[in-house]
Amino acid sequence: MRIITWNVNGLRACLGKGFMEAVSLLDADVFCLQETKMQEGQAEVDLPGFAQYWNSAQKKGYSGTAVFTRRVPHAVQLGLGIEAHDQEGRVLTLDYGDFYLVNVYTPNAQRELTRLSYRMQWEDDFRAYLVGLDEKKPVILCGDLNVAHREIDLKNPKANKRNAGFTMEERDKMTALLASGFCDAFRWLYPDKQDAYTWWSYMGQARAKNVGWRIDCFVVSERLKDKIQEVQIFDGIFGSDHCPVALTIAL
């Protein structure tokens, strides 16, 4: 099974920047999108053979997730079932019978860390949600996790120590998630690989210089890690400030 995760930073904009061509090129079973910034039906996404599932933010033009899948799930859940977290369209869970696929767009702590305290509560509640799912059957989590877990996961760790996405608080929450029975699929395969990034600022020619962060990830239940075949970062595909990431897993 081949799954793509991609923060498209506005699907309507991405549709005009080669999205459909990228879908054809990537040729996956499932596409998990984050930051769609739209309601279902606001743009035509013509993908024959794919079922479409959307979780849009109440605030129009903000946040949002979507899943386009050739393999129809048994059931779909929008959100965590916690009202405080379910206004921004950040989570889609697909029950595929023998595993759960969770698509997430993790809240950003924001400049000056104005949303860090909310982010900490989100992390605890989201981890509890994933652990609850994992008690029933294995989980594949993917999406924009908005955290570079280790120094190897961003170009300039020292300069970003107290910036959103690289605070010790956020990194510790990622550590806690992995300690709860989960595995970072990319680091499982490539523990020491450097300069592997999935997001680049639009400022200062960051992408051309590969000054980036690896914040778009696949995290899987520990008991699935031996089924991971490949994780690929498609940094040559544009259309967003993030690039697609693919997981190939024997399921």
Side-chain angles (χ1 to χ4, degrees), residues 182-201:
F182 296 92
C183 164
D184 179 337
F186 181 81
R187 285 291 170 224
W188 166 247
L189 293 180
Y190 306 108
D192 303 313
K193 188 174 180 66
Q194 298 181 337
D195 301 322
Y197 307 128
T198 65
W199 173 79
W200 303 261
S201 169

Side-chain angles (χ1 to χ4, degrees), residues 2-249:
R2 181 172 162 90
I3 306 168
I4 299 290
T5 184
W6 192 6
N7 179 322
V8 292
N9 192 11
L11 182 54
R12 286 172 290 179
C14 196
L15 283 165
K17 300 176 182 177
F19 175 79
M20 300 301 287
E21 292 83 354
V23 168
S24 178
L25 177 69
L26 292 165
D27 189 27
D29 301 294
V30 186
F31 289 85
C32 295
L33 309 181
Q34 305 88 40
E35 206 171 359
T36 53
K37 295 184 179 179
M38 62 176 280
Q39 311 295 312
E40 183 178 5
Q42 282 191 297
E44 183 180 358
V45 186
D46 185 16
L47 290 172
F50 284 86
Q52 300 187 14
Y53 303 96
W54 298 77
N55 189 7
S56 300
Q58 291 186 2
K59 179 182 176 182
K60 290 186 177 180
Y62 178 73
S63 189
T65 49
V67 175
F68 305 152
T69 176
R70 286 186 169 119
R71 186 172 167 183
V72 177
H74 295 211
V76 177
Q77 177 178 323
L78 278 60
L80 300 180
I82 300 173
E83 186 175 357
H85 298 317
D86 289 347
Q87 311 304 308
E88 299 178 354
R90 292 187 177 275
V91 179
L92 266 170
T93 302
L94 282 66
D95 181 349
Y96 278 110
D98 49 357
F99 70 96
Y100 291 107
L101 175 62
V102 182
N103 179 23
V104 67
Y105 178 35
T106 301
N108 192 302
Q110 302 292 346
R111 289 186 180 180
E112 309 299 324
L113 303 179
T114 56
R115 220 179 181 198
L116 182 60
S117 60
Y118 171 71
R119 168 72 178 266
M120 293 297 97
Q121 186 62 55
W122 162 278
E123 291 283 356
D124 290 342
D125 292 341
F126 187 55
R127 184 173 66 256
Y129 174 74
L130 294 174
V131 169
L133 293 180
D134 187 53
E135 289 172 352
K136 301 172 188 174
K137 53 187 134 183
V139 174
I140 298 174
L141 166 68
C142 68
D144 178 356
L145 303 188
N146 259 319
V147 61
H149 184 217
R150 296 164 49 198
E151 291 194 354
I152 196 175
D153 294 318
L154 74 168
K155 189 68 171 182
N156 295 314
K158 290 182 180 178
N160 284 288
K161 289 281 188 186
R162 285 304 293 167
N163 286 344
F166 197 60
T167 64
M168 190 52 66
E169 293 93 328
E170 292 164 300
R171 295 167 65 194
D172 285 348
K173 293 297 185 184
M174 181 66 171
T175 299
L177 173 61
L178 297 178
S180 299
F182 296 92
C183 164
D184 179 337
F186 181 81
R187 285 291 170 224
W188 166 247
L189 293 180
Y190 306 108
D192 303 313
K193 188 174 180 66
Q194 298 181 337
D195 301 322
Y197 307 128
T198 65
W199 173 79
W200 303 261
S201 169
Y202 282 129
M203 306 291 288
Q205 296 185 307
R207 191 156 187 175
K209 298 174 182 177
N210 199 27
V211 179
W213 300 47
R214 189 180 72 90
I215 60 177
D216 303 271
C217 304
F218 283 91
V219 172
V220 307
S221 295
E222 277 279 342
R223 59 194 184 278
L224 290 181
K225 68 184 183 182
D226 290 331
K227 297 182 181 297
I228 298 168
Q229 297 176 324
E230 183 59 283
V231 180
Q232 297 163 280
I233 296 174
F234 289 92
D235 53 9
I237 292 181
F238 294 80
S240 168
D241 51 349
H242 299 248
C243 73
V245 182
L247 169 72
T248 305
I249 188 166

